[in-house]
């Protein structure tokens, strides 16, 4: 098992699904700090109008602005509407804040179209005119470059002396980098969520019952180990500071013996896991890609189908290396291996569902996974509140292994690997004929 970031345990079980014995291993991970994410930029802008066309018979106009982001296919999508300023041809709209992504999708030269309307109570707003700009132009701030002529194409086509339907001027432009919770963590503020001595931790070492990871590990591990021939699991840890010098390690033996990290069955792995919680300090980040690549190296050495590897990751849903994990999955999709992810705890598992790839095939840098090799199940869905443990574990076993047979067969069929002949049925040796003298 491999130890990693906050309350994230990844249990790697490399199990033999073929005729030969194979290496089996477990990995868990957990730590005390989170580290990820980039800040989101927004921009604060304010506009005013000057000498806009008069549209109301008994008054002036009630103007407002509508901002559109251009799309790759030439269409436009509304991204902001200002408030209506009543009865004026020289409105000053309130400053508004909009994410840069919503305004231009991160493309500073993408066309931004702005339409000017006169508000009507019945909803049939009168079109005054329009103009176009871009984020790059707007970023120049208040200047002669950001005074825009409002053009009504129909009026321009009808009237030779038509100049415009007024102007709109950018009064201010201020970029605001929104600071998020994760930005503080990235800056070095530790989030200590994985202390196994605290009852709030999913790794809490209660003297009376298994913690969340222990429950999931035991339940799922007992399902997986039935496919392994010798039930010996090399259990490795990553994401922890090791005694005595506090060295951060992402690959260490949970049983403390790097020369022989094998544990005897799931019970042996459980014992090594709890022993590690007592001796190491959990430490981030929560990276899935190292353990996937770790198993992939073994799978790459036996492409002949003599062995098939299953990686089991037990996690609370936190992941710090999503891009690298996707790349690792894409690379592993051509190897004899599958990945089962089991989520523990109350979190939303959107990232894990994305890795599952049932709806959208996983891709990285323009490359798609050769085949679907990931199955995700949330453990909480299998905790039977009525106490029917046998039924709930049967449902868990069914869903944990739901996709592995098809994933296994898809690898074998695409490689043209045929099953080995079944051994002849056992027949007892013939008894010698005994005669009585």
């Amino acid at each position: 098992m491999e130890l990693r970031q906050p309350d994230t345990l990844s249990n790697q079980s490399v199990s033999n699904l073929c005729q030969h014995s194979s290496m089996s291993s477990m990995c868990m991970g957990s730590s005390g700090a989170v580290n990820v994410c980039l800040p989101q930029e927004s921009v604060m802008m304010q506009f005013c109008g000057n000498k806009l066309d008069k549209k109301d018979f008994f008054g002036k106009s009630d103007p407002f602005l509508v901002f559109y982001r251009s799309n790759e296919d030439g269409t436009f999508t509304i991204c902001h509407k200002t408030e209506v300023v009543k009865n004026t041809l020289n409105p000053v709209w309130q400053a508004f804040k909009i994410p840069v992504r919503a305004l231009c999708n991160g493309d500073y030269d993408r066309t931004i179209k702005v339409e000017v309307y006169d508000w009507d109570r019945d909803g049939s707003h009168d079109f005054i005119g329009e103009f176009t700009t871009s984020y790059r132009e707007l970023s120049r701030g208040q200047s002669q470059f950001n005074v825009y002529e409002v053009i009504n194409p129909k009026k321009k086509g009808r009237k030779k002396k038509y100049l415009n339907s007024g102007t709109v001027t950018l009064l201010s432009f201020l970029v605001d980098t929104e600071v998020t919770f994760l930005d503080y963590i990235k800056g070095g503020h530790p989030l200590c969520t994985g202390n196994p001595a605290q009852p709030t931790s999913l790794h809490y070492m209660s003297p009376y019952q298994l913690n969340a990871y222990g429950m999931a590990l035991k339940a799922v591990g007992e399902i997986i180990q039935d496919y392994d021939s010798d039930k010996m699991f090399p259990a490795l840890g990553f994401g922890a500071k090791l005694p005595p010098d506090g060295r951060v390690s992402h690959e260490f033996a949970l049983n403390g013996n790097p020369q022989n990290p094998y544990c005897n069955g799931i019970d042996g792995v459980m014992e090594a896991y709890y022993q590690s919680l007592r001796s190491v300090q959990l430490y981030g980040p929560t990276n899935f890609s190292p353990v996937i690549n770790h198993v992939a190296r073994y799978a790459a050495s036996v492409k002949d189908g003599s062995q098939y590897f299953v990686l089991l990751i037990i996690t609370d849903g936190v992941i710090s290396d999503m891009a690298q994990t996707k790349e690792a999955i894409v690379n592993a999709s051509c190897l004899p291996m599958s990945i089962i992810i089991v989520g523990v705890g109350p979190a939303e598992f959107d990232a894990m569902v994305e890795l599952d790839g049932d709806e959208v095939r996983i891709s990285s840098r323009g490359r798609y996974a050769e085949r679907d090799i990931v199955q995700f199940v949330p453990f909480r869905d299998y905790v039977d509140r009525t106490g029917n443990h046998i039924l709930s574990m049967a449902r868990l076993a069914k869903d944990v292994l739901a996709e592995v047979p098809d994933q296994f067969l898809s690898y074998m069929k695409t490689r043209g690997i045929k099953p080995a002949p079944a051994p002849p049925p056992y027949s007892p040796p013939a008894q010698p004929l005994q005669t009585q003298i």
Side-chain angles (χ1 to χ4, degrees):
M1 303 173 93
E2 302 219 357
L3 285 183
R4 31 177 126 204
Q5 176 175 328
D7 299 335
T8 303
L9 168 119
S10 117
N11 162 43
Q12 164 192 327
S13 173
V14 184
S15 302
N16 182 16
L17 298 183
C18 307
Q19 63 269 31
H20 301 300
S21 65
S22 78
M23 165 187 174
S24 303
S25 80
M26 295 281 174
C27 302
M28 288 188 206
S30 194
S31 85
V34 187
N35 184 2
V36 72
C37 206
L38 294 175
Q40 298 295 317
E41 282 191 347
S42 295
V43 61
M44 181 80 74
M45 295 186 288
Q46 185 175 22
F47 293 84
C48 70
N50 186 47
K51 297 181 181 179
L52 299 178
D53 282 355
K54 178 179 180 296
K55 291 291 185 178
D56 293 340
F57 185 76
F58 293 107
K60 295 178 180 179
S61 287
D62 305 318
F64 66 96
L65 303 177
V66 182
F67 289 77
Y68 297 83
R69 179 186 68 248
S70 62
N71 303 314
E72 284 77 3
D73 60 0
T75 61
F76 288 88
T77 301
I78 294 177
C79 57
H80 182 74
K81 289 184 181 179
T82 69
E83 81 283 2
V84 176
V85 181
K86 292 292 191 70
N87 196 31
T88 179
L89 302 181
N90 302 294
V92 178
W93 290 282
Q94 295 177 13
F96 65 91
K97 186 177 183 180
I98 183 172
V100 173
R101 183 176 296 277
L103 190 63
C104 65
N105 201 29
D107 180 359
Y108 289 0
D109 296 308
R110 184 183 294 245
T111 298
I112 299 169
K113 183 172 71 171
V114 184
E115 293 179 342
V116 187
Y117 287 92
D118 168 44
W119 177 86
D120 283 334
R121 188 179 301 275
D122 62 3
S124 59
H125 311 308
D126 298 318
F127 180 69
I128 296 175
E130 65 185 16
F131 63 92
T132 61
T133 182
S134 68
Y135 181 88
R136 194 176 302 280
E137 288 183 12
L138 293 170
S139 65
R140 297 177 178 180
Q142 187 178 24
S143 68
Q144 70 272 24
F145 299 106
N146 282 321
V147 178
Y148 299 96
E149 292 189 14
V150 178
I151 302 299
N152 187 322
K154 291 184 178 179
K155 291 183 69 172
K156 184 176 182 180
R158 293 197 310 263
K159 298 181 180 180
K160 292 183 179 180
K161 295 185 178 180
Y162 176 81
L163 294 177
N164 57 54
S165 295
T167 61
V168 169
T169 300
L170 175 67
L171 294 178
S172 63
F173 182 95
L174 179 63
V175 176
D176 179 26
T177 299
E178 295 182 0
V179 178
T180 68
F181 166 75
L182 289 178
D183 294 325
Y184 284 101
I185 302 303
K186 185 180 180 182
H189 291 258
L191 177 65
C192 297
T193 61
N195 185 352
Q198 298 296 324
T200 54
S201 171
L202 294 174
H203 288 290
Y204 177 54
M205 292 187 293
S206 169
Y208 307 109
Q209 62 183 14
L210 296 176
N211 62 27
Y213 284 100
M215 290 175 59
L217 173 61
K218 187 172 180 61
V220 181
E222 287 178 348
I223 295 167
I224 295 295
Q225 76 171 354
D226 288 341
Y227 290 89
D228 190 270
S229 56
D230 61 6
K231 305 293 188 295
M232 294 299 293
F233 300 92
L236 306 176
F238 67 89
K241 290 184 176 181
L242 305 185
D245 57 358
R247 174 177 56 90
V248 177
S249 174
H250 293 282
E251 188 172 355
F252 61 93
L254 287 188
N255 64 5
N257 185 353
Q259 282 72 41
N260 183 19
Y262 285 81
C263 299
N264 188 4
I266 295 303
D267 289 340
V269 175
M270 294 281 293
E271 183 180 351
Y273 162 57
Y274 279 104
Q275 183 59 43
S276 287
L277 289 180
R278 296 184 181 94
S279 61
V280 305
Q281 178 186 348
L282 307 182
Y283 196 80
T286 303
N287 296 335
F288 283 22
S289 59
V291 67
I292 295 174
N293 292 329
H294 176 89
V295 179
R297 286 193 292 273
Y298 287 96
S301 65
V302 283
K303 294 182 181 179
D304 60 356
S306 60
Q307 298 178 44
Y308 193 87
F309 297 79
V310 175
L311 164 64
L312 175 63
I313 298 176
I314 302 179
T315 175
D316 66 353
V318 176
I319 180 170
S320 306
D321 64 338
M322 190 66 167
Q324 294 89 336
T325 294
K326 286 183 177 181
E327 183 173 10
I329 291 173
V330 170
N331 293 336
S333 65
C334 63
L335 301 174
M337 65 178 284
S338 292
I339 302 170
I340 298 172
I341 302 176
V342 177
V344 297
E348 295 297 328
F349 293 106
D350 293 348
M352 302 303 105
V353 172
E354 184 177 349
L355 293 178
D356 187 288
D358 282 346
E359 297 181 4
V360 179
R361 181 66 61 89
I362 288 288
S363 64
S364 174
R365 303 184 184 183
R367 292 173 53 228
Y368 282 86
E370 178 180 310
R371 59 195 180 92
D372 177 16
I373 63 170
V374 181
Q375 165 76 335
F376 167 71
V377 292
F379 185 71
R380 62 183 176 226
D381 290 356
Y382 302 88
V383 179
D384 195 311
R385 305 302 179 188
T386 65
N388 194 332
H389 179 74
I390 295 176
L391 179 60
S392 61
M393 290 305 100
R395 289 174 50 242
L396 177 65
K398 175 179 177 293
D399 289 349
V400 162
L401 298 175
E403 297 183 6
V404 173
D406 285 342
Q407 292 170 359
F408 171 80
L409 288 174
S410 70
Y411 178 83
M412 297 301 178
K413 287 180 179 179
T414 56
R415 268 68 182 174
I417 301 172
K418 304 294 184 182
Y426 172 77
S427 56
Q431 297 294 325
L433 182 63
Q434 294 184 359
T435 58
Q436 191 173 20
I437 299 178

